[in-house]
Amino acid sequence: MRRTAPWLVALGGGIAWALCFGRQGYLVAPWLALVPLVLLLDHRAAGRLGWLHGVVTWLVAVHWIRATLETYGHLAPWLAAASLLLLCLYLGAFHGLFALLGRRLWRRGGWPALAGLPALWVALELVRAHLFSGFPWNPAAHAWVEVAGALPLAGWMGAYGVSLLVVAANVGLAAALTRGRRVAGAAVVLACLLALAVAARWAAADDRRPAGGGLPVRLLQPNSSNLVSWDPVQVAENYRTIFEQSHAACDEAGALLIWPESAAWPYSFERDAEYRRDLERLVASGCPVLLNSTDERPQGFFNSLLLVEASGVAGRYDKRHLVPFGEYVPLARVFAFLQRIARSAGDYVPGSEPAVLGWRGEALGPAICFEVIFPAEVAETVRAGATLLVTVTNDAWYGDTSAPWQHLTAARFRAAESRRTVLRAAITGVSAVIGPDGALDATLGVGERGVLRTRVAGRSELTPHSRHPWLAPLGCAAVAALGLAGTRRRG
């Protein structure tokens, strides 16, 4: 039993940590869920235990990938499961590396343990966010989305800085449970609580509602499911739904209608004349439309956002960060056995630069689907002049699972990091109006059909994170490196 106990702890700890990224946020669990992993650093097989912890974490947290690959990628069930397992083995390796390197810091004690371990976790999150196109899904910070003060802190430290505190609190509690480290561990936990309290107090004193009421916006959620195979009847029904919703939502002159990603699929604004005429009639009624469309040019296909007004296309943004194995296939010859997951997968080329779309004196900063999970890219758009942030997505791929809610949490952190309102239009949910503090002002859940009506006013000031989004993660990488170098010298 003594031999199997550490492996059971790693297994249970991985499940506990994964559950911190479910449909709803938790207040207490994220302070405790990483403690088992930290305590396992005393074990001589810490690296392998950490890897098991990570694989289990990701299998539970992103289990929805298997059904997506099977349903829309048309993979055999065994191949979809194998693909998910392969991904989780890769992602779990970051937990294993944390445990393998962190064991030296933990056994050293002092600041290498209490500061070096959280910094090491963040440094590995940074690597995961950029290696092989990057997958910064579910960083530790997101576990604290409902903890008072965490979102306001993101404006200063970004999600990486909040991840540092999340892991520091867990390391502190683990230290408080071990002999000889109790005082230092308790001090770390108290420091995290103090930082949250100060941030929450600061946020409460900040008036995030600009005077004047703002401009009218309508977020459309047609609840149109993805089609597994071509169905002209369903395509026509989806087309009719989005236009009926749009005409009904245009109940105030000048209101901006925001369509979710793929709302009019498979129609293209540039290619389909009838679709373009229907849009012209819509905007002529007084409401401009921000819509997603595939745009074919000599360079290839682009996944674009178009701002269509009565005068024509007033602005365009091309998606820069494409989804691997969805919108393009990296090393296509090597991975040719994988079926294409998204429509026209493998055909898209990335946009080259950020863009802001001018609308009635505001500057809309767009992010298409996957892009909103990258803090530095959104910060770059804010520095380019965005006063409001808009993200459109098609989360219908993942059904009524935790995936749309995990994706929504990323958008909440981008709002808090930049102190910008985020307008999120999702084809099947979750659509949301997110305040500059990351709070959910209005939502439409998964499977609902409706329109969110709101008024918005932009902001132009830059937060510390928007100015220097790399400061926290690179600082953590430096601290981790110093701590590890110290353990090597001592050895």
Side-chain angles (χ1 to χ4, degrees):
M1 183 65 182
R2 291 183 61 185
R3 292 184 177 181
T4 60
W7 301 96
L8 293 175
V9 170
L11 178 66
I15 294 173
W17 183 236
L19 294 178
C20 293
F21 304 94
R23 295 169 182 255
Q24 62 182 32
Y26 296 95
L27 298 178
V28 178
W31 295 76
L32 306 169
L34 279 178
V35 170
L37 176 61
V38 177
L39 293 177
L40 287 173
L41 298 181
D42 274 324
H43 199 280
R44 61 185 180 183
R48 285 174 287 164
L49 290 166
W51 195 7
L52 173 63
H53 178 280
V55 172
V56 171
T57 292
W58 288 103
L59 282 172
V60 174
V62 299
H63 64 90
W64 35 266
I65 290 178
R66 182 201 58 79
T68 301
L69 291 172
E70 186 176 338
T71 302
Y72 299 109
H74 306 293
L75 296 184
W78 70 268
L79 185 54
S83 299
L84 172 62
L85 178 60
L86 185 63
L87 173 65
C88 293
L89 287 170
Y90 161 69
L91 295 173
F94 289 95
H95 293 231
L97 191 57
F98 169 79
L100 183 66
L101 298 176
R103 184 171 187 266
R104 292 159 52 186
L105 297 170
W106 178 249
R107 292 171 67 85
R108 171 75 182 272
W111 80 263
L114 297 175
L117 278 172
L120 174 62
W121 182 281
V122 174
L124 291 171
E125 282 192 346
L126 180 64
V127 174
R128 175 162 63 87
H130 292 86
L131 192 62
F132 305 130
S133 178
F135 189 65
W137 196 265
N138 288 354
H142 290 188
W144 269 12
V145 68
E146 297 299 341
V147 175
L151 285 167
L153 271 176
W156 292 87
M157 310 167 67
Y160 287 113
V162 178
S163 286
L164 179 75
L165 292 186
V166 173
V167 181
N170 280 267
V171 170
L173 284 172
L177 295 173
T178 60
R179 187 176 302 174
R181 299 178 179 177
R182 292 173 182 170
V183 174
V188 170
V189 175
L190 288 174
C192 292
L193 287 169
L194 179 61
L196 290 169
V198 170
R201 182 68 179 269
W202 168 73
D206 179 48
D207 180 14
R208 66 183 181 88
R209 302 292 183 189
L215 300 173
V217 172
R218 308 291 184 257
L219 302 176
L220 279 68
Q221 182 169 304
N223 194 35
S224 302
S225 60
N226 283 345
L227 299 179
V228 178
S229 58
W230 174 252
D231 184 346
V233 175
Q234 189 60 55
V235 167
E237 174 65 18
N238 292 346
Y239 187 86
R240 181 186 62 81
T241 296
I242 192 64
F243 274 99
E244 286 184 353
Q245 268 195 328
S246 297
H247 283 287
C250 186
D251 52 8
E252 182 176 353
L256 176 64
L257 308 181
I258 301 179
W259 289 8
E261 185 182 22
S262 304
W265 182 87
Y267 296 98
S268 166
F269 181 84
E270 301 292 346
R271 183 189 65 227
D272 300 302
E274 184 178 353
Y275 172 48
R276 192 162 56 249
R277 286 194 294 270
D278 287 340
L279 280 168
E280 289 169 354
R281 284 192 289 269
L282 174 60
V283 298
S285 65
C287 292
V289 181
L290 185 65
L291 60 91
N292 169 240
S293 178
T294 295
D295 188 8
E296 185 177 3
R297 299 177 216 158
Q299 305 94 314
F301 290 94
F302 291 83
N303 188 356
S304 303
L305 268 182
L306 308 178
L307 178 60
V308 182
E309 297 181 343
S311 58
V313 177
R316 183 190 307 268
Y317 166 71
D318 300 323
K319 186 176 183 181
R320 295 183 293 155
H321 205 126
L322 303 178
V323 180
F325 303 108
E327 292 167 317
Y328 78 104
V329 179
L331 302 174
R333 292 183 180 178
V334 177
F335 296 108
F337 67 92
L338 286 178
Q339 298 291 332
R340 293 176 175 180
I341 301 170
R343 302 179 178 111
S344 299
D347 294 333
Y348 289 106
V349 294
S352 58
E353 57 187 16
V356 293
L357 310 177
W359 168 65
R360 297 183 62 178
E362 299 287 1
L364 306 176
I368 300 176
C369 192
F370 187 64
E371 292 183 308
V372 82
I373 71 174
F374 293 90
E377 294 181 13
V378 175
E380 184 180 11
T381 300
V382 172
R383 291 196 304 275
T387 58
L388 295 165
L389 296 175
V390 178
T391 179
V392 301
T393 186
N394 179 2
D395 285 345
W397 304 108
Y398 316 115
D400 189 10
T401 66
S402 58
W405 300 96
Q406 293 170 357
H407 203 181
L408 173 67
T409 297
R412 295 181 66 181
F413 268 87
R414 301 298 85 79
E417 286 169 348
S418 60
R419 303 293 291 168
R420 298 287 192 274
T421 295
V422 171
L423 302 167
R424 185 178 198 264
I427 198 164
T428 57
V430 180
S431 296
V433 179
I434 307 171
D437 58 356
L440 295 174
D441 292 343
T443 60
L444 280 171
V446 176
E448 296 183 46
R449 176 178 292 178
V451 177
L452 291 179
R453 291 170 167 81
T454 188
R455 304 188 76 87
V456 296
R459 302 174 71 142
S460 57
E461 73 277 9
L462 294 180
T463 64
H465 166 79
S466 295
R467 292 179 186 275
H468 308 291
W470 297 103
L471 188 60
L474 291 181
C476 287
V479 170
L482 287 173
L484 290 170
T487 61
R488 179 177 292 275
R489 285 198 302 269
R490 185 177 181 180

